[in-house]
Amino acid sequence: MRVPLSWLREYVDLAAEATPEDVLAALVTVGFEEEDVHRFDITGPVVVGQVVSLEPEPQSNGKTINWCQVDVGPEHGGVRGIVCGAHNFGVGDKVVVTLPGAVLPGPFPIAARKTYGHVSDGMIASARELGLGDEHNGIVVLSDLGIDAPVGTDAIALLGLDDVAVEINVTPDRGYAFSVRGIAREYSHATGAAFRDPAERDFAELQPGSGHTAVVDDQAPVRGRVGASEFVTRVVRDVDPSRPTPPWMIARLSLAGMRSLGVLIDITNYVMLELGQPLHGYDLDKLTGGITVRRATPGEKMTTLDGVERKLHVEDLLITDDSGPIGLAGVMGGGTTEMSDTTRNVLIEAATFDATTIARTARRHKLPSEASKRFERGVDPLIPFVAARRAADLMVELAGGTLTEEGGALFAEVFVAEIELPRGFVQGLIGVDYTDDEITGALTTIGAEVTAAENGWTVIPPTWRPDLTDKWTLAEEVARIHGLDRIPAVLPTPPSGRGLTAHQQGRRRVANALAAAGFVETPAFPFTTEAQNDLHGSASGEHLPSIRLANPLDGQVPFLRRSLIPGLLQTAHRNISRGLTDLALFETGAVFVPEPGVEYGTAEVPPLGVRPSDEVLAELDASIPPQERHVAVLLTGNVSPRQPGRAAEAAGLVEALDAVRVIGAAAGIEIDVVQTQRAALHPGRTGALVAGGEEVGYVGELHPAVAEEADLPGRATVLELDLDRLLTLAGGRIVAASLSTFPAATQDVSLTLPAEVPAGEVRAALAEGAGALLESVRLVDDYRGEGVPEGSKSLTFALRFRADDRTLTAAEASEAKMAGVVVAAERFGAALRD
């Protein structure tokens, strides 16, 4: 909300020396956020001049210019020669002259320059050049604006161009601050300055008369609330729409962010900004019959003021006459009854519309407007009478109209619910020892009625504060009025047994460990195609059920993912296309795994603003598919770049298996690899990841065809694990192993066995047979060639033995090693290689 300071001064005592920064600082203390300061980008000298002579001079290009002699006053050099291309003025007219040295919005510096055979010693300005509107066909003639100022007068101050506006951010719950009235009141709260409410008028003079009372026929109220609870109309006759909007009003509207659209529309916008009540003016002579407020019928259409024909929804609230819709209530008027240059009689509308209805209509038709912005946040229900009379008075004053006794008023009794505020509640919630007088004083200051009760107070909030609904919001108001700086900064003591769950801690450990190992976390959107779900969501690539979104962000990827790999592939492709070819990426996130034959998303969505019952919540939970937490990794490019004397080292399965070990260590469980096959991975370079006897994921090199389809130029290695299941198998607590102070004994063993036996199973057999003395076993060589029978292979393992209570002898280590060899021989026919 932008507020010109000259306007603000009309309703609150603002010190003459107060700067915009001072005003913003004061408003910040009562909970607003400062945004900006707005000024007219114009500097003088810009003065009032009088045309002494005017000589038309036709030019060879067909254009006629005027060579003018303009008196700008002795203090500014007397009479100056100025070239002007406009023709809407004559000798004797007083105009706005920008002299050399002035700078107009743009910036457009003014200097004496030779043009059309003359030296033009300044410029006669138009409204557009001064920033006062869009009119550029003619220059500003002061008599047209009702201004007769002495020659040489400073035109910047005369036209209100020296005004300045402050802009604050208004939160959705404080709609009353979308008005000069609301900001003036808040400035008064912040500084104690006297506030003068522009809405305080004799109620008798606010009565609109009769003859134009609207009818509300709402057959389908939203959430049981009638679309229009108040509808006030007033009629002003014999207006002159050709009259110019006064410069002070144009300047204020411009600083407030609105452009001038003619005196009648400017008046309705001005009153809306002043009081916060949106208004609409109808050309009374274009109305057919009386006004009815109703919901749209199926298939109904209307053309709004922007010239767009809109297909209406049955929830849309309409303003209609006998001809049909003439306005989208609270959003935008219709084109058939808009005020124009031919308007002579105006019907002013000031209404109170249902906030939910207006918000839905504005979003449905993508028509955010200044009116809808206010209605959807809540407008003071007592202000329509005042706003309608204020607009009527301005049309009489500025447009020459006549205020009639015609009009109408449809209104309901305004009821604001009482709130019980217990004594001591505010102090306990905020943490400040406010006195009773401070509490009641703050609530009275904001306009609430406070009555003492047995155990506290009964509070009736003001009508312009629909956000005050309970004792908590009242406590916040007390804290805001007395200063948020009084609230102490105290770190609360967390209760025992709270904090992150074991699975949350485990997910963080895994993510932190991968990041520490050099991987980059790249969260992706959880949307993909059905084909990608089938390819990466199952080992065989078979069709699996997927969840399709009813309203997807991207129609090409309308399904929720069953795997994290498609997102990593997209991220890798995007990075590679931008020149980043060496990638080590990971993601932790949810995948959606619907059960076959179960329909999801069928539960009815409960209405907003009402807490669902436990039964409704249970039904909603049942309509959501299972969501498992997975972790996935993708590697492509080089793990180390080419260097002098050293070739580049490509990332592959070795690095992927290292990532598996990192994840297992962080989760607190050992993960084994067993050879397998998957449709999306390279045959022979794919492994199943097993923990606690269960398969929990896979690792492998991406199939060349899949990599090519994903636009990945080289090899890519991926892994994916069911992180939730992995953490469940690991248990809730990780116990660190004790460190032995005794030295290790190391030995190698080479076994010859059939080539089809997986090395992982041989490793497991050695570990099982070697027993508790074996600390680690690692495959160091897989040899197939001379000296090894055809169809066989030689596997070499490095074994490390250690005891907790003694130094092992070579004999003890050899005995444990041979025990492992015996188990491998029994299971796979393994034999020691000579």
Side-chain angles (χ1 to χ4, degrees):
M1 175 67 187
R2 299 182 181 183
V3 183
L5 296 192
S6 65
W7 206 348
L8 190 64
R9 284 191 173 93
E10 292 186 7
Y11 303 119
V12 69
D13 289 343
L14 192 63
E17 66 276 7
T19 65
E21 291 72 22
D22 294 335
V23 175
L24 286 173
L27 294 174
V28 166
T29 64
V30 286
F32 292 102
E33 296 179 8
E34 61 176 286
E35 290 288 338
D36 205 351
V37 175
H38 299 272
R39 296 179 171 87
F40 288 101
D41 297 326
I42 182 170
T43 57
V46 180
V47 301
V48 174
Q50 187 169 31
V51 180
V52 177
S53 67
L54 182 152
E55 298 178 15
E57 296 182 358
Q59 303 298 309
S60 59
N61 60 4
K63 181 178 181 181
T64 298
I65 61 97
N66 294 312
W67 171 238
C68 309
Q69 299 298 312
V70 184
D71 182 10
V72 294
E75 65 273 30
H76 299 293
V79 177
R80 295 185 181 230
I82 298 176
V83 173
C84 183
H87 302 282
N88 65 318
F89 66 102
V91 174
D93 283 339
K94 290 183 177 179
V95 295
V96 177
V97 180
T98 58
L99 299 175
V103 179
L104 298 183
F108 178 37
I110 304 300
R113 65 189 182 94
K114 188 173 182 179
T115 180
Y116 294 107
H118 301 282
V119 175
S120 185
D121 200 14
M123 185 181 76
I124 304 176
S126 68
R128 187 183 197 180
E129 290 161 342
L130 294 171
L132 284 175
D134 294 332
E135 179 59 44
H136 193 57
N137 294 327
I139 53 93
V140 174
V141 179
L142 294 179
S143 60
D144 292 343
L145 302 178
I147 297 175
D148 184 14
V151 170
T153 300
D154 180 8
I156 293 179
L158 182 69
L159 299 177
L161 301 178
D162 58 346
D163 202 358
V164 60
V166 295
E167 182 179 3
I168 59 170
N169 179 37
V170 178
T171 53
D173 61 329
R174 301 174 73 178
Y176 68 94
F178 278 114
S179 66
V180 177
R181 178 196 185 206
I183 299 302
R185 190 190 305 275
E186 289 298 322
Y187 183 81
S188 172
H189 297 341
T191 63
F195 169 66
R196 296 172 291 280
D197 191 350
E200 287 187 359
R201 298 187 63 165
D202 184 1
F203 191 71
E205 68 178 5
L206 301 179
Q207 298 306 304
S210 60
H212 293 278
T213 301
V215 175
V216 176
D217 183 21
D218 188 356
Q219 299 296 321
V222 176
R223 298 184 189 170
R225 291 195 289 267
V226 176
S229 57
E230 193 168 0
F231 202 99
V232 179
T233 60
R234 295 202 80 119
V235 174
V236 180
R237 292 190 177 272
D238 301 323
V239 297
D240 182 2
S242 65
R243 286 197 180 186
T245 303
W248 59 266
M249 180 176 283
I250 295 178
R252 288 181 175 181
L253 289 174
S254 178
L255 284 174
M258 305 187 77
R259 59 192 180 97
S260 177
L261 298 172
V263 65
L264 299 179
I265 298 176
D266 288 349
I267 286 172
T268 58
N269 287 336
Y270 186 85
V271 174
M272 177 186 67
L273 293 172
E274 184 174 73
L275 299 176
Q277 169 67 53
L279 300 172
H280 188 70
Y282 300 91
D283 188 325
L284 181 61
D285 299 324
K286 296 178 181 178
L287 288 175
T288 306
I291 289 180
T292 300
V293 183
R294 61 170 174 82
R295 301 283 172 176
T297 57
E300 195 167 15
K301 298 180 180 180
M302 74 164 290
T303 301
T304 46
L305 283 172
D306 54 3
V308 177
E309 184 181 67
R310 302 184 183 277
K311 184 177 179 181
L312 303 175
H313 188 275
V314 292
E315 267 192 6
D316 291 336
L317 191 68
L318 304 179
I319 311 298
T320 68
D321 64 2
D322 291 350
S323 67
I326 58 175
L328 270 175
V331 179
M332 183 174 286
T336 58
T337 57
E338 67 175 315
M339 296 184 293
S340 66
D341 294 340
T342 62
T343 298
R344 292 295 175 266
N345 302 305
V346 177
L347 183 135
I348 302 169
E349 166 210 304
T352 300
F353 296 117
D354 173 52
T356 302
T357 294
I358 303 307
R360 289 183 179 180
T361 296
R363 286 158 177 74
R364 185 181 299 119
H365 295 283
K366 297 180 176 61
L367 263 181
S369 64
E370 291 292 330
S372 66
K373 180 168 65 176
R374 287 163 173 79
F375 278 125
E376 64 190 36
R377 288 164 172 79
V379 173
D380 185 356
L382 298 183
I383 207 69
F385 285 89
V386 179
R389 179 56 190 260
R390 173 67 166 150
D393 290 343
L394 287 174
M395 287 186 182
V396 171
E397 176 186 350
L398 304 179
T402 301
L403 181 61
T404 70
E405 294 299 321
E406 301 173 76
L410 175 70
F411 59 93
E413 182 180 357
V414 177
F415 174 76
V416 181
E418 296 180 345
I419 301 173
E420 298 298 328
L421 182 62
R423 184 172 281 103
F425 175 78
V426 175
Q427 296 91 329
L429 181 67
I430 305 300
V432 177
D433 291 330
Y434 298 112
T435 65
D436 289 353
D437 289 342
E438 285 180 316
I439 293 173
T440 57
L443 297 176
T444 303
T445 296
I446 65 172
E449 296 181 19
V450 182
T451 305
E454 182 178 355
N455 297 316
W457 301 274
T458 299
V459 182
I460 301 178
T463 55
W464 58 85
R465 294 298 303 273
D467 57 307
L468 302 181
T469 56
D470 48 44
K471 59 186 178 181
W472 289 275
T473 53
L474 293 179
E476 291 173 358
E477 286 300 295
V478 174
R480 186 175 69 88
I481 295 300
H482 287 298
L484 301 178
D485 56 328
R486 288 184 60 180
I487 301 176
V490 179
L491 186 65
T493 302
S496 60
R498 305 292 177 88
L500 299 177
T501 65
H503 273 218
Q504 289 171 334
Q505 292 175 355
R507 290 198 292 267
R508 287 196 179 186
R509 284 197 310 271
V510 169
N512 290 339
L514 285 171
F519 293 86
V520 178
E521 186 172 14
T522 57
F525 283 119
F527 313 125
T528 188
T529 64
E530 191 171 32
Q532 289 290 307
N533 270 342
D534 293 343
L535 178 62
H536 297 284
S538 67
S540 62
E542 63 183 299
H543 177 68
L544 296 172
S546 297
I547 298 295
R548 185 186 183 97
L549 296 172
N551 186 25
L553 289 176
D554 185 347
Q556 294 183 339
V557 284
F559 291 90
L560 291 174
R561 65 189 178 189
R562 294 184 63 104
S563 167
L564 301 182
I565 300 301
L568 288 177
L569 293 177
Q570 290 180 359
T571 302
H573 167 65
R574 190 178 303 113
N575 280 272
I576 291 172
S577 67
R578 287 159 174 76
L580 301 175
T581 57
D582 300 333
L583 301 173
L585 311 176
F586 82 95
E587 180 181 2
T588 61
V591 297
F592 304 84
V593 189
E595 298 176 4
V598 180
E599 292 188 15
Y600 296 98
T602 58
E604 184 177 349
V605 178
L608 300 175
V610 179
R611 189 187 187 283
S613 65
D614 292 341
E615 292 76 13
V616 172
L617 289 175
E619 185 179 351
L620 289 172
D621 287 339
S623 70
I624 300 174
Q627 300 178 42
E628 302 171 354
R629 287 275 182 171
H630 282 202
V631 58
V633 168
L634 181 146
L635 298 115
T636 187
N638 295 323
V639 69
S640 63
R642 186 179 65 180
Q643 304 174 47
R646 180 179 177 182
E649 183 179 349
L653 277 173
V654 172
E655 287 70 33
L657 292 173
D658 283 342
V660 171
R661 297 185 187 98
V662 168
I663 294 171
I669 191 171
E670 186 173 345
I671 303 174
D672 294 320
V673 183
V674 179
Q675 194 168 27
T676 187
Q677 290 188 352
R678 290 185 69 89
L681 301 184
H682 193 296
R685 299 176 186 172
T686 303
L689 301 177
V690 178
E694 294 185 22
E695 184 175 330
V696 292
Y698 61 88
V699 61
E701 185 179 306
L702 209 61
H703 194 288
V706 176
E708 182 179 1
E709 184 180 355
D711 291 329
L712 301 184
R715 291 184 175 182
T717 308
V718 298
L719 73 88
E720 184 168 16
L721 283 158
D722 183 343
L723 188 54
D724 281 343
R725 187 57 188 160
L726 189 68
L727 294 171
T728 299
L729 294 171
R733 177 176 296 183
I734 299 176
V735 179
S738 59
L739 298 177
S740 174
T741 59
F742 295 96
T746 60
Q747 292 194 17
D748 291 344
V749 61
S750 295
L751 300 175
T752 303
L753 67 166
E756 66 272 12
V757 177
E761 295 183 16
V762 179
R763 176 183 176 276
L766 287 173
E768 180 182 337
L773 294 180
L774 182 66
E775 187 175 79
S776 72
V777 53
R778 180 168 54 91
L779 177 68
V780 295
D781 188 41
D782 183 338
Y783 176 72
R784 310 179 194 206
E786 186 178 353
V788 176
E790 186 176 350
S792 298
K793 61 182 177 181
S794 172
L795 300 180
T796 301
F797 293 89
L799 311 177
R800 185 169 69 238
F801 300 92
R802 193 192 310 264
D804 293 334
D805 56 350
R806 67 190 187 282
T807 299
L808 290 177
T809 64
E812 288 176 307
S814 297
E815 183 180 354
K817 177 183 73 173
M818 293 310 298
V821 171
V822 169
V823 174
E826 292 174 351
R827 292 184 181 175
F828 312 114
L832 281 173
R833 183 183 175 194
D834 295 335

